[in-house]
Amino acid sequence: LSVGEVVYVCFMMMVGAVVHSMMVSEVINVVTSMDQHDLAIHCQKALVEAFAEHAELGGDSKLALTSWVETMRRRKRDFDREELRRLVLNGQMPQDLIKKLPMAAFKGKLLRNKYLHVCVPAGAQWPPRFPLLLAVSLTQRVYACEEIVYQLHDQ
Protein backbone atom coordinates (compact mmCIF):
# COMPACT_ATOMS: atom_id res chain seq x y z
CA LEU A 1 0.00 0.00 0.00
CA SER A 2 1.20 3.49 -0.78
CA VAL A 3 1.14 6.36 1.71
CA GLY A 4 -1.70 8.01 -0.22
CA GLU A 5 -3.84 4.88 0.04
CA VAL A 6 -3.22 4.61 3.78
CA VAL A 7 -4.16 8.28 4.27
CA TYR A 8 -7.30 7.79 2.17
CA VAL A 9 -8.36 4.69 4.16
CA CYS A 10 -7.73 6.48 7.48
CA PHE A 11 -9.74 9.49 6.32
CA MET A 12 -12.65 7.29 5.16
CA MET A 13 -12.60 5.40 8.48
CA MET A 14 -12.84 8.70 10.37
CA VAL A 15 -15.71 9.90 8.17
CA GLY A 16 -17.45 6.55 8.69
CA ALA A 17 -17.01 6.81 12.46
CA VAL A 18 -18.48 10.32 12.51
CA VAL A 19 -21.46 9.35 10.33
CA HIS A 20 -22.05 6.23 12.42
CA SER A 21 -21.99 8.22 15.66
CA MET A 22 -24.49 10.71 14.21
CA MET A 23 -26.85 7.89 13.25
CA VAL A 24 -26.57 6.21 16.65
CA SER A 25 -27.15 9.56 18.36
CA GLU A 26 -30.34 10.11 16.36
CA VAL A 27 -31.60 6.62 17.19
CA ILE A 28 -30.95 7.28 20.89
CA ASN A 29 -32.89 10.57 20.66
CA VAL A 30 -35.89 8.83 19.08
CA VAL A 31 -35.90 6.04 21.66
CA THR A 32 -35.48 8.51 24.55
CA SER A 33 -38.35 10.73 23.35
CA MET A 34 -40.66 7.73 23.14
CA ASP A 35 -39.57 6.69 26.62
CA GLN A 36 -40.41 10.17 27.96
CA HIS A 37 -43.93 9.93 26.52
CA ASP A 38 -44.41 6.47 28.03
CA LEU A 39 -43.04 7.77 31.33
CA ALA A 40 -45.61 10.58 31.33
CA ILE A 41 -48.38 8.03 30.75
CA HIS A 42 -47.02 5.85 33.55
CA CYS A 43 -46.87 8.80 35.98
CA GLN A 44 -50.45 9.83 35.20
CA LYS A 45 -51.66 6.25 35.58
CA ALA A 46 -49.90 6.02 38.95
CA LEU A 47 -51.51 9.29 40.01
CA VAL A 48 -54.97 8.06 38.99
CA GLU A 49 -54.42 4.71 40.72
CA ALA A 50 -53.39 6.51 43.91
CA PHE A 51 -56.55 8.60 43.69
CA ALA A 52 -58.63 5.46 43.11
CA GLU A 53 -57.21 3.94 46.31
CA HIS A 54 -57.72 7.19 48.21
CA ALA A 55 -61.33 7.48 47.04
CA GLU A 56 -61.90 3.73 47.53
CA LEU A 57 -63.10 3.29 43.97
CA GLY A 58 -64.23 -0.19 42.97
CA GLY A 59 -62.39 -2.32 40.43
CA ASP A 60 -64.54 -1.32 37.44
CA SER A 61 -64.30 2.39 38.22
CA LYS A 62 -60.57 2.20 38.81
CA LEU A 63 -60.06 0.29 35.55
CA ALA A 64 -62.22 2.76 33.61
CA LEU A 65 -60.27 5.70 35.04
CA THR A 66 -56.82 4.25 34.25
CA SER A 67 -57.84 3.15 30.76
CA TRP A 68 -59.23 6.65 30.11
CA VAL A 69 -55.88 8.19 31.10
CA GLU A 70 -54.01 5.82 28.82
CA THR A 71 -56.23 6.40 25.78
CA MET A 72 -56.29 10.17 26.36
CA ARG A 73 -52.49 10.34 26.55
CA ARG A 74 -52.02 8.10 23.52
CA ARG A 75 -54.29 10.29 21.35
CA LYS A 76 -52.74 13.65 22.12
CA ARG A 77 -49.06 14.45 22.25
CA ASP A 78 -47.89 17.11 24.64
CA PHE A 79 -45.93 20.04 23.34
CA ASP A 80 -44.01 22.88 24.91
CA ARG A 81 -46.57 25.69 24.84
CA GLU A 82 -44.10 28.33 25.98
CA GLU A 83 -41.58 27.44 23.27
CA LEU A 84 -44.30 27.47 20.62
CA ARG A 85 -45.53 30.86 21.89
CA ARG A 86 -41.99 32.21 21.49
CA LEU A 87 -41.85 30.76 17.97
CA VAL A 88 -45.08 32.58 17.03
CA LEU A 89 -43.91 35.86 18.57
CA ASN A 90 -40.30 35.92 17.34
CA GLY A 91 -41.27 37.74 14.12
CA GLN A 92 -39.79 35.20 11.72
CA MET A 93 -43.01 33.42 10.74
CA PRO A 94 -44.14 34.47 7.25
CA GLN A 95 -47.14 36.81 7.19
CA ASP A 96 -49.14 34.60 4.80
CA LEU A 97 -48.71 31.67 7.19
CA ILE A 98 -49.82 33.81 10.13
CA LYS A 99 -53.00 34.66 8.18
CA LYS A 100 -53.62 31.07 7.01
CA LEU A 101 -53.13 29.09 10.23
CA PRO A 102 -55.94 30.60 12.36
CA MET A 103 -58.51 29.48 9.79
CA ALA A 104 -57.21 25.93 10.11
CA ALA A 105 -56.88 25.92 13.93
CA PHE A 106 -59.36 23.52 15.48
CA LYS A 107 -60.86 23.03 12.00
CA GLY A 108 -61.99 26.67 11.88
CA LYS A 109 -64.02 26.45 15.10
CA LEU A 110 -61.76 28.93 16.87
CA LEU A 111 -62.51 31.79 14.47
CA ARG A 112 -66.24 30.94 14.43
CA ASN A 113 -66.51 30.94 18.23
CA LYS A 114 -69.31 33.34 19.21
CA TYR A 115 -67.79 34.13 22.59
CA LEU A 116 -64.63 35.50 20.98
CA HIS A 117 -66.61 37.66 18.57
CA VAL A 118 -68.49 39.25 21.48
CA CYS A 119 -65.14 40.26 23.00
CA VAL A 120 -64.12 42.31 19.94
CA PRO A 121 -65.72 45.75 19.53
CA ALA A 122 -67.63 46.34 16.30
CA GLY A 123 -65.33 47.20 13.41
CA ALA A 124 -62.17 46.22 15.34
CA GLN A 125 -59.85 43.41 14.30
CA TRP A 126 -57.67 41.07 16.28
CA PRO A 127 -53.91 41.49 16.04
CA PRO A 128 -52.60 39.04 13.41
CA ARG A 129 -50.93 36.66 15.86
CA PHE A 130 -53.76 36.69 18.44
CA PRO A 131 -55.69 33.65 17.08
CA LEU A 132 -52.45 31.65 16.88
CA LEU A 133 -51.56 32.51 20.46
CA LEU A 134 -55.05 31.49 21.52
CA ALA A 135 -54.69 28.18 19.69
CA VAL A 136 -51.40 27.55 21.50
CA SER A 137 -52.96 28.30 24.88
CA LEU A 138 -56.33 26.61 24.47
CA THR A 139 -57.30 23.00 24.94
CA GLN A 140 -60.39 21.92 23.06
CA ARG A 141 -63.25 20.54 25.17
CA VAL A 142 -66.54 19.08 24.04
CA TYR A 143 -69.56 19.40 26.30
CA ALA A 144 -72.85 17.54 26.21
CA CYS A 145 -76.08 19.41 25.60
CA GLU A 146 -77.24 21.25 28.74
CA GLU A 147 -74.11 20.23 30.65
CA ILE A 148 -73.18 22.78 33.32
CA VAL A 149 -69.83 24.20 32.31
CA TYR A 150 -69.43 27.16 34.65
CA GLN A 151 -71.21 28.27 37.81
CA LEU A 152 -71.29 31.74 39.32
CA HIS A 153 -68.50 31.40 41.91
CA ASP A 154 -66.27 28.86 40.14
CA GLN A 155 -62.61 29.80 40.01
Side-chain angles (χ1 to χ4, degrees):
L1 292 175
S2 70
V3 175
E5 291 173 331
V6 171
V7 170
Y8 174 75
V9 168
C10 288
F11 175 73
M12 290 310 292
M13 286 176 58
M14 292 172 103
V15 168
V18 169
V19 169
H20 182 265
S21 67
M22 289 170 48
M23 289 176 15
V24 168
S25 173
E26 192 60 33
V27 168
I28 289 171
N29 285 340
V30 168
V31 170
T32 303
S33 69
M34 289 189 159
D35 286 345
Q36 289 173 346
H37 181 68
D38 290 339
L39 180 64
I41 292 172
H42 177 72
C43 288
Q44 283 194 341
K45 281 177 66 175
L47 179 67
V48 166
E49 287 173 1
F51 169 73
E53 287 181 29
H54 168 76
E56 299 176 0
L57 295 177
D60 290 343
S61 299
K62 181 179 177 181
L63 183 63
L65 193 57
T66 56
S67 66
W68 169 75
V69 166
E70 189 168 329
T71 57
M72 177 193 65
R73 292 292 300 184
R74 294 254 183 243
R75 269 188 299 176
K76 295 195 176 190
R77 300 287 274 179
D78 284 337
F79 62 95
D80 187 349
R81 292 176 192 264
E82 188 61 31
E83 185 62 30
L84 192 56
R85 186 182 71 77
R86 274 191 235 113
L87 185 66
V88 169
L89 292 175
N90 74 4
Q92 295 180 356
M93 189 179 289
Q95 204 59 26
D96 59 330
L97 189 59
I98 290 173
K99 290 177 182 176
K100 180 182 177 183
L101 287 178
M103 291 177 247
F106 299 110
K107 299 178 183 169
K109 294 176 188 174
L110 179 63
L111 291 182
R112 292 191 311 264
N113 187 294
K114 291 178 185 177
Y115 180 74
L116 292 178
H117 287 285
V118 169
C119 296
V120 178
Q125 288 187 339
W126 291 329
R129 289 179 177 83
F130 179 70
L132 281 180
L133 292 173
L134 271 179
V136 168
S137 301
L138 296 175
T139 302
Q140 187 176 15
R141 302 274 191 249
V142 178
Y143 297 100
C145 183
E146 297 189 19
E147 181 178 353
I148 296 174
V149 176
Y150 179 79
Q151 297 217 358
L152 180 59
H153 297 289
D154 282 352
Q155 293 184 6

